[in-house]
Amino acid sequence: MEDQGVLGTIWNKEATRLLSLFGWNTIGDYDMDVQGKDDKQYGIDTLITFKTPLKNNKQIAILEAKRYETKNFNKSLLQGWIERLDKKLIELRNSEKFQERFPDLSECSTLDMGIIAIWFHDTRNYYHFHSKFIEILQNISVSGRTRKVGMNKIFVIDNHKILRLCSMHQSIEAYESDNDDSKIFFYYPPILIEDKPIVREQVLTIEFIFSDIVLAEARKDKVTVENIVFYFGKLEIPCFHQLKSLLTLCSFLDTDKPLLLYIYQEDDEFRKIEPDIKRIFENVSFRIKSMDNLFDLPGYIKDIVHE
C-alpha cells in the first residue's frame, strides 16, 4: 500500500527539497485540489518549475510523490499512475480556473510534463528489487497515436536516480567548501540544446537528471577554473573511451583547464583500471574523485520535515 497522510506528505516535501537544491522552484502549496477544464477536481502533490535552455520560458511540471514498499509495487499500479497523470496534464493546461489560481503560470511554458518520484522506503530490499523495477518500466504501454490535445512527457524516477542526485549535491557542496569563491555551474553545450549557444546554469534540467554524464564548470569571478564531469555510467575501459569522444565533441577538453572526473559506485575492479583511464585523458590535467554511494536519504533532505 502507498503511504498516505503524514508519511506521503513528508516524502512530497523531501522530493521537492531535493529538486530545490538544483535550482527548481514550487508554485502554490503542497497537496492541492485544482479544477480542470472538465470542471472536475484534480489532486496535485506539487507544481514545480525550472529554467531550461531548450525553452524560452520556464518549464512547469506536476510532481507526483509516491512512497511505497517494494513488495506492493507492480506494473498495473505504475500504468495507472501514468494514465491518470496524463489526463491531469491535459485537463489542467486547458483550464481557465487553473490559470486564474496560479498567475505565475503566465511566465511558464505549456504544462506538458509530469514527474513521478517513487521512494521505496524498505531500502534493504531495494537493491534486489531494482532490476524488476526497470523491467516494469520497459513494459509500460504508451500510445503512439497523435492526439489533438498534444503529447505529454512523463518521467519516472526512483531511489536509484534520487540517491544519485543526493550524491552529486554532496560532491558540489564539498567542492565549493574546499575551493573558496568557486561555484559550480552546469554546462549545456550546443550539441545538447539544439545548437543554441553554450549555457551555464546552476539549474539541473530533467534531461541531465536522466543522463549518465553531467557536464559542469567550476567558475570564479566569471572565469572557468576547472571542467567537471559527473559520471554515472559503467566503469569499463570502452566506456571511458566513449566519454572522451563525447567530451571532445562538446569541446570540453582543454589543455588550459584541468578536468575533474567524479565517478559513482567505485569498486576494487575500478582501482585496477584507474591507471588506464588516466592514460586516456593524458593530454589534459586530469584527476578522479569518488561520489558517495548512498543507500538512504541523507539528513539534509529528511530534516525538511522539521522546518
Side-chain angles (χ1 to χ4, degrees), residues 253-303:
L253 295 178
D254 190 330
T255 55
D256 291 333
K257 297 183 182 70
L259 176 65
L260 170 57
L261 176 65
Y262 281 101
I263 61 166
Y264 193 62
Q265 295 180 330
E266 179 186 359
D267 55 20
D268 290 338
E269 290 303 311
F270 173 78
R271 282 185 275 276
K272 293 178 183 178
I273 65 170
E274 186 171 351
D276 297 315
I277 295 168
K278 290 182 177 179
R279 279 192 287 272
I280 293 172
F281 296 94
E282 63 184 358
N283 293 326
V284 296
S285 176
F286 177 72
R287 62 191 179 116
I288 299 174
K289 295 191 74 172
S290 294
M291 288 180 274
D292 290 337
N293 189 11
L294 304 175
F295 295 93
D296 200 356
L297 293 172
Y300 61 82
I301 297 297
K302 291 183 177 181
D303 285 348

Side-chain angles (χ1 to χ4, degrees), residues 120-131:
F120 294 102
H121 57 84
D122 53 328
T123 54
R124 290 178 179 271
N125 299 323
Y126 174 78
Y127 179 81
H128 298 289
F129 167 79
H130 182 63
S131 59

Side-chain angles (χ1 to χ4, degrees), residues 164-176:
R164 284 188 359 176
L165 283 177
C166 293
S167 292
M168 193 192 309
H169 173 70
Q170 289 184 184
S171 296
I172 291 171
E173 288 277 287
Y175 184 98
E176 293 179 344

